[in-house]
Amino acid sequence: MDSWPVNWEALDALIIDFAKSENLIEDSSPPSSPYLTSSYHSRLIIRQIRRSLEVGNIDAAIDILRVHAPFVLEDHRLLFRLQKLKFIELLRKGTRDDRIFAIDYLRKSLAPCALNAYPEAYEEFKHVLLAFIYDKDDQTSPVANEWAEKRRYEIAGLVSSVLRAHFHAYNPIFSMALRYLMSIHKVFCFRQGIVSPISYLTERLLLEERDFPALPPESLYEAQVFDEVDIQALAHAVELTRQGAIDSLRFAKGDLFQAFQNEICRMRLNDAMLDELVREYCVYRGIVEPGMQTSSEPLKVNPPESGCCSSLDSSIDVDHSTAKHSNSETSATTDLSSMQGIDVELRFASEPTNNLEDCSPSGSHQSESSSLLRNRSKGAGERSKRKRWRGRHDDLDFISGVHFNRDGKQEVSTTISKGVECTSAEDKYEIVLQMKELASRGMAAEVVEEISTLDPDFFVQNPVFLFQLKQVEFLKLVGLGDHSGALRVACSHLGPLAARDPNLLKPLKETLLSLLRPNEEALVTGLPLHALATSLQVVFGKRLGIEEPQLMRIMRATLHTHSEWFKLQMCKDRFESLLRIDSLKENNTPVLTSLATSKSNIDSCSLGSSQATISSTNGVSDDSSSPNQASSQDAICDENAILKVMEFLALPRADAIHLLAQYNGNAETVIQQIFA
């Protein structure tokens, strides 16, 4: 099974920006993009308005709009919808005074607005009058939809879409990229008829509901000509009809990328779950301290017990008929712990434990890990750089119903030495982080020594990691001019390892060629140390009972399916640079390329980590070619012909190309044959 490379350093940067822009961590330094800081206040205003509307407090929402966004109340189309909702909420209270007030509000506000809102408004006004005589609990009444509480969420989503675009208060890049990647992942798995290995996460993280699209200004309803390439790109990127894509482009005044951002932000995420997954990732990567200062604890969202989530060959079934999430984001978060298939437990110990159990009367096992404990004190400077997790304090009232199992504990592998087995959970976590830090700094010899002391069987079971680390040590010695020392490393370790595994012979030869290269410094600086450090962290961490973050599984799977999807579409994703998806896929490995792609390395990395990668069962190419690489079919198809078939037959790009290939690229013939 192939392992999809992810640039974890690029992901770290995006997640740190996300945490800063959402004020989730205590950090005085601003996000990398000034826009993220400026939009936070606007997002808070939008969130407050949304909440007021969702709980039926229309007056509070109108008051906030009057102060911060009066243009919404000047748009009679939006004002009429708000006033109609307020009328229903007055009747919903059921008191005599509220009923009288509703009649007065009807005369003075709702009726006059209905005359000027939009052509259908007056008919809607007359229809809503039926709420006077039909009870709110009567599900068969003509106004059951008006009484339904989902109407609150529809209006809240519509107003949020308008405000978000007006203030340019888009979600952080990571949040938008995650929405986009998960939506493509779902479509890819559905169209290919394969089972997603991360469905237990995506089904709960990416909600089914979307905010209503914003209404284009009435002045923009006249006919406008947009490039058909833009229309089709937007429609297929975010699953819109062609008319929906046109309306979105109208609202964005023809700006494709702004329209795309508007549509992506309409997708709803379970914010409480996302925050906890991000925190879990940040703790794992050493970005924030493991101690939690708020009432929440990190989530562990486990797959259902009946299935394995490491590959598409797992027995997990995607239930496409799963009941939809509540339209209320509140209920979606507060019911998180009771969802089927979710086990919420502590990922890491939140309380520091300084007492190590003495598992041996002689204390010999404790002395085996003494070097690591000394390194812990040396690593205090690194720990001091970690941020304190603040949490989404403005959301605490909405997530207070999430209950966490505070008794969850890590399972410790019985294959590790007793010296580590008796170490506290916090110490194990620090050990793994220190191994990652040492590896990322190229201190390969120290990593091998420490891990061998802690777990003598680790490199026996993971020989490719030993080869990689010794390869780093070899190249560093070459860079320092110590050719004799480098050859000793090659003779003692690299040669014997390659003799036992033929797949290592090619990278061994390429490594030895570095002896002839004049620019030794480039060899050292060009090593993929961060990728190696992350792989080592995942595999060695699992040996100590520390599972990799769920977010890692999501990113592996979704980035892979993103590439596979655009191979099927036979084109390049126009939005991947906007969302930094291209940087997440960059994996610069100039020296260790052969090793990184060797089968033995893939197997070794897969051994210790739950690789959520996708391998199409419908013949999707697994090579590493660019997603926009033209196929022989694409070569005979004119772009205008492809767009014409896509437009007339409402087909995805790949299907349009396959049809054109059958009829020598003639769009008119394809359309005639279909309609005939």
Side-chain angles (χ1 to χ4, degrees):
M1 181 182 64
D2 287 346
S3 173
W4 185 254
V6 178
N7 188 333
W8 299 114
E9 296 299 305
L11 180 60
D12 287 350
L14 284 180
I15 286 182
I16 290 172
D17 263 359
F18 169 81
K20 287 181 180 179
S21 63
E22 294 288 13
N23 203 23
L24 296 174
I25 58 177
E26 293 183 352
D27 189 359
S28 57
S29 61
S32 61
S33 172
Y35 134 79
L36 292 175
T37 304
S38 62
S39 68
Y40 176 67
H41 180 65
S42 298
R43 293 200 303 275
L44 284 182
I45 292 173
I46 295 171
R47 194 175 299 154
Q48 191 173 1
I49 292 171
R50 177 191 285 273
R51 289 175 178 172
S52 298
L53 292 173
E54 288 178 347
V55 299
N57 193 347
I58 315 304
D59 284 335
I62 290 176
D63 288 343
I64 300 172
L65 288 168
R66 189 174 288 113
V67 174
H68 297 284
F71 72 93
V72 172
L73 303 179
E74 294 169 3
D75 187 332
H76 285 222
R77 298 169 302 169
L78 294 172
L79 180 61
F80 174 71
R81 289 174 169 85
L82 289 170
Q83 290 180 340
K84 187 168 65 167
L85 183 59
K86 180 179 177 179
F87 169 72
I88 289 293
E89 295 302 324
L90 287 170
L91 292 181
R92 193 189 305 277
K93 293 179 180 178
T95 67
R96 182 175 179 276
D97 289 343
D98 285 318
R99 193 175 182 86
I100 293 173
F101 188 75
I103 295 174
D104 186 60
Y105 186 76
L106 192 71
R107 292 171 178 167
K108 295 181 179 178
S109 300
L110 189 57
C113 188
L115 296 174
N116 302 309
Y118 46 89
E120 301 85 4
Y122 194 69
E123 286 301 319
E124 293 180 16
F125 165 73
K126 291 189 292 182
H127 181 73
V128 82
L129 293 178
L130 295 174
F132 276 122
I133 59 175
Y134 288 99
D135 188 78
K136 61 183 178 181
D137 297 323
D138 185 356
Q139 299 300 317
T140 62
S141 74
V143 285
N145 287 336
E146 300 292 347
W147 278 116
E149 291 189 2
K150 72 174 183 179
R151 185 70 71 184
R152 297 174 178 174
Y153 304 104
E154 293 173 356
I155 302 301
L158 171 61
V159 173
S160 297
S161 295
V162 172
L163 293 174
R164 189 163 46 236
H166 177 79
F167 291 127
H168 291 273
Y170 300 116
N171 298 107
I173 295 295
F174 170 70
S175 180
M176 289 193 289
L178 191 61
R179 288 170 164 89
Y180 184 52
L181 289 170
M182 286 197 296
S183 66
I184 289 177
H185 179 82
K186 286 186 174 183
V187 172
F188 177 84
C189 291
F190 176 75
R191 285 183 58 84
Q192 296 299 102
I194 53 183
V195 177
S196 166
I198 57 169
S199 60
Y200 66 101
L201 289 167
T202 57
E203 295 294 330
R204 294 162 176 84
L205 186 55
L206 183 64
L207 306 182
E208 292 292 333
E209 299 81 12
R210 293 190 184 189
D211 288 342
F212 270 43
L215 301 172
E218 292 179 303
S219 60
L220 297 180
Y221 272 113
E222 60 269 16
Q224 285 182 286
V225 178
F226 300 113
D227 191 331
E228 188 63 32
V229 174
D230 290 349
I231 294 173
Q232 294 297 336
L234 182 61
H236 291 284
V238 289
E239 297 182 82
L240 293 176
T241 63
R242 184 174 185 276
Q243 185 59 49
I246 292 173
D247 290 340
S248 184
L249 285 167
R250 279 180 181 154
F251 181 77
K253 299 180 181 179
D255 188 327
L256 173 64
F257 295 104
Q258 183 177 337
F260 174 76
Q261 290 181 92
N262 290 339
E263 295 301 322
I264 282 293
C265 290
R266 284 178 53 213
M267 298 179 183
R268 301 286 299 279
L269 286 178
N270 183 330
D271 287 335
M273 184 176 178
L274 175 61
D275 289 351
E276 295 297 349
L277 291 174
V278 167
R279 178 186 176 269
E280 180 194 45
Y281 180 89
C282 289
V283 169
Y284 186 85
R285 297 286 287 171
I287 297 170
V288 303
E289 289 288 353
M292 187 64 173
Q293 302 299 324
T294 65
S295 60
S296 301
E297 295 293 345
L299 278 175
K300 181 180 179 182
V301 185
N302 284 334
E305 294 181 358
S306 60
C308 171
C309 301
S310 60
S311 71
L312 281 175
D313 295 328
S314 65
S315 58
I316 298 176
D317 294 326
V318 178
D319 183 7
H320 294 287
S321 63
T322 301
K324 291 185 177 180
H325 295 282
S326 168
N327 288 320
S328 169
E329 190 169 342
T330 302
S331 62
T333 58
T334 56
D335 291 342
L336 184 61
S337 61
S338 62
M339 290 179 181
Q340 181 179 2
I342 289 187
D343 176 30
V344 184
E345 62 183 47
L346 283 179
R347 175 70 74 169
F348 302 107
S350 60
E351 294 296 330
T353 305
N354 297 320
N355 299 324
L356 300 181
E357 299 177 17
D358 188 358
C359 299
S360 171
S362 63
S364 59
H365 297 302
Q366 188 167 337
S367 65
E368 287 181 357
S369 58
S370 60
S371 59
L372 249 295
L373 297 180
R374 287 196 299 269
N375 282 341
R376 285 196 65 212
S377 62
K378 293 178 182 179
E382 291 297 326
R383 295 198 299 275
S384 66
K385 296 178 183 178
R386 298 177 199 164
K387 311 301 181 184
R388 178 179 176 273
W389 185 264
R390 176 182 177 274
R392 198 182 292 268
H393 286 292
D394 60 292
D395 283 345
L396 286 181
D397 55 332
F398 274 75
I399 65 172
S400 59
V402 181
H403 302 290
F404 299 93
N405 175 13
R406 298 177 182 271
D407 297 322
K409 296 180 180 179
Q410 290 291 337
E411 293 291 335
V412 180
S413 172
T414 58
T415 62
I416 62 176
S417 66
K418 279 189 171 290
V420 181
E421 187 178 350
C422 300
T423 305
S424 69
E426 185 193 15
D427 286 337
K428 292 171 190 170
Y429 171 59
E430 291 298 336
I431 287 170
V432 173
L433 278 180
Q434 285 175 45
M435 291 300 97
K436 168 180 169 284
E437 178 63 23
L438 291 174
S440 65
R441 289 159 54 188
M443 301 174 68
E446 291 81 354
V447 172
V448 173
E449 179 184 357
E450 296 288 7
I451 292 181
S452 297
T453 301
L454 293 166
D455 186 1
D457 294 331
F458 179 78
F459 289 118
V460 174
Q461 298 181 17
N462 298 277
V464 177
F465 272 122
L466 180 59
F467 186 94
Q468 285 183 305
L469 290 167
K470 289 299 178 181
Q471 192 180 24
V472 171
E473 185 180 350
F474 175 92
L475 293 170
K476 284 195 68 178
L477 290 171
V478 171
L480 295 172
D482 186 359
H483 291 188
S484 298
L487 288 174
R488 280 196 300 271
V489 171
C491 294
S492 302
H493 299 282
L494 297 180
L497 287 169
R500 289 193 292 269
D501 186 350
N503 290 302
L504 299 178
L505 284 175
K506 182 179 179 182
L508 173 60
K509 294 174 184 177
E510 294 183 356
T511 303
L512 292 174
L513 284 175
S514 63
L515 292 168
L516 307 177
R517 294 175 183 171
N519 191 358
E520 293 88 353
E521 184 178 351
L523 293 175
V524 179
T525 57
L527 290 173
L529 297 176
H530 291 297
L532 173 59
T534 297
S535 297
L536 185 66
Q537 179 187 19
V538 170
V539 178
F540 187 58
K542 291 198 75 173
R543 297 275 292 185
L544 303 186
I546 301 174
E547 293 292 331
E548 68 173 337
Q550 306 291 336
L551 202 52
M552 276 188 164
R553 300 176 187 177
I554 294 174
M555 296 310 297
R556 282 195 186 96
T558 57
L559 285 171
H560 182 76
T561 49
H562 176 272
S563 293
E564 294 300 304
W565 177 248
F566 282 96
K567 284 180 186 177
L568 286 175
Q569 303 306 308
M570 302 179 196
C571 66
K572 183 176 177 62
D573 183 3
R574 298 184 65 182
F575 307 108
E576 67 177 6
S577 295
L578 176 69
L579 300 182
R580 315 278 177 83
I581 293 173
D582 51 352
S583 68
L584 291 174
K585 294 180 181 180
E586 290 172 0
N587 193 36
N588 298 322
T589 56
V591 179
L592 304 182
T593 301
S594 300
L595 177 61
T597 56
S598 69
K599 181 180 183 300
S600 58
N601 179 51
I602 291 170
D603 292 341
S604 175
C605 292
S606 299
L607 176 66
S609 61
S610 298
Q611 302 288 358
T613 55
I614 310 301
S615 177
S616 172
T617 57
N618 291 359
V620 179
S621 172
D622 288 328
D623 59 30
S624 58
S625 59
S626 173
N628 62 332
Q629 182 177 3
S631 67
S632 58
Q633 291 177 335
D634 200 14
I636 65 172
C637 299
D638 178 70
E639 184 66 24
N640 290 327
I642 296 172
L643 292 173
K644 184 178 292 186
V645 173
M646 290 174 67
E647 175 187 353
F648 275 88
L649 302 181
L651 289 175
R653 181 183 178 86
D655 293 347
I657 292 174
H658 290 314
L659 279 174
L660 285 166
Q662 297 176 29
Y663 295 96
N664 298 319
N666 191 313
E668 287 75 13
T669 303
V670 170
I671 295 171
Q672 290 173 5
Q673 291 295 324
I674 294 296
F675 283 106

Coordinates of all heavy atoms in Angstrom, one line a residue, residues 106 162 250 275 281 293 305 374 426 442 454 583 596 601 641:
L106 N -47.1 43.1 12.3 CA -47.5 42.7 11.0 C -48.0 43.9 10.2 O -47.6 44.1 9.0 CB -48.7 41.7 11.1 CG -49.1 40.9 9.9 CD1 -48.1 39.9 9.4 CD2 -50.4 40.2 10.1
V162 N -23.7 36.6 3.6 CA -23.7 38.0 3.1 C -22.6 38.7 3.9 O -21.8 39.5 3.3 CB -25.1 38.6 3.2 CG1 -25.0 40.1 3.0 CG2 -26.1 38.0 2.3
R250 N -21.7 36.1 -10.0 CA -22.4 37.4 -10.0 C -22.2 38.1 -8.7 O -21.9 39.3 -8.6 CB -23.9 37.3 -10.3 CG -24.2 37.1 -11.8 CD -25.7 37.0 -11.9 NE -26.1 36.8 -13.3 CZ -27.2 36.2 -13.7 NH1 -28.0 35.7 -12.8 NH2 -27.5 36.1 -15.0
D275 N -11.5 22.0 16.7 CA -10.6 22.6 17.7 C -9.9 21.6 18.5 O -8.7 21.7 18.8 CB -11.4 23.6 18.7 CG -11.8 24.8 18.0 OD1 -11.4 25.1 16.8 OD2 -12.6 25.6 18.6
Y281 N -3.2 17.6 17.7 CA -2.1 17.7 16.7 C -1.0 18.6 17.3 O 0.2 18.3 17.2 CB -2.6 18.2 15.4 CG -1.5 18.3 14.3 CD1 -1.2 17.3 13.5 CD2 -0.8 19.5 14.2 CE1 -0.2 17.4 12.6 CE2 0.2 19.6 13.2 CZ 0.5 18.5 12.4 OH 1.5 18.7 11.5
Q293 N -5.9 24.2 30.2 CA -6.2 25.2 31.2 C -7.7 25.5 31.2 O -8.2 26.2 32.0 CB -5.5 26.5 30.9 CG -3.9 26.3 30.9 CD -3.4 25.8 32.2 OE1 -3.9 26.2 33.3 NE2 -2.4 25.0 32.1
E305 N -15.5 -0.3 16.3 CA -14.7 -1.4 16.6 C -14.8 -2.5 15.5 O -13.9 -3.4 15.5 CB -15.2 -2.0 17.9 CG -15.0 -1.1 19.1 CD -15.5 -1.7 20.4 OE1 -16.1 -2.8 20.3 OE2 -15.3 -1.1 21.5
R374 N 18.2 13.0 31.3 CA 19.1 14.1 31.3 C 18.8 15.0 30.1 O 18.8 16.2 30.2 CB 20.6 13.7 31.2 CG 21.1 13.1 32.5 CD 22.6 13.0 32.5 NE 23.1 12.1 31.4 CZ 23.3 10.8 31.5 NH1 23.1 10.2 32.7 NH2 23.8 10.1 30.5
E426 N 3.8 11.3 30.7 CA 4.3 12.6 30.3 C 5.8 12.4 29.9 O 6.2 13.0 28.9 CB 4.3 13.6 31.5 CG 4.7 15.0 31.1 CD 5.0 15.9 32.2 OE1 5.1 15.4 33.4 OE2 5.1 17.1 32.0
G442 N 19.4 16.6 12.6 CA 20.4 15.8 11.9 C 21.3 15.1 12.9 O 22.3 14.6 12.5
L454 N 16.7 2.6 24.9 CA 15.3 2.6 25.4 C 14.6 1.3 24.9 O 13.8 0.7 25.6 CB 14.5 3.8 25.0 CG 15.0 5.1 25.6 CD1 14.4 6.3 24.9 CD2 14.6 5.2 27.1
S583 N 1.6 23.4 -1.4 CA 2.7 23.4 -0.4 C 2.7 22.2 0.5 O 3.7 21.7 1.0 CB 2.8 24.7 0.3 OG 1.7 24.8 1.2
A596 N 13.2 7.2 0.1 CA 11.9 7.6 0.5 C 10.8 6.9 -0.2 O 9.7 6.7 0.3 CB 11.8 9.1 0.4
N601 N 10.9 1.1 2.7 CA 10.6 2.3 3.5 C 9.1 2.5 3.7 O 8.6 2.8 4.8 CB 11.2 3.5 2.9 CG 11.0 4.8 3.7 OD1 11.2 4.8 4.9 ND2 10.5 5.8 3.0
A641 N -14.4 21.9 -26.7 CA -15.3 20.7 -26.9 C -15.6 20.1 -25.5 O -16.7 19.7 -25.3 CB -14.6 19.7 -27.8

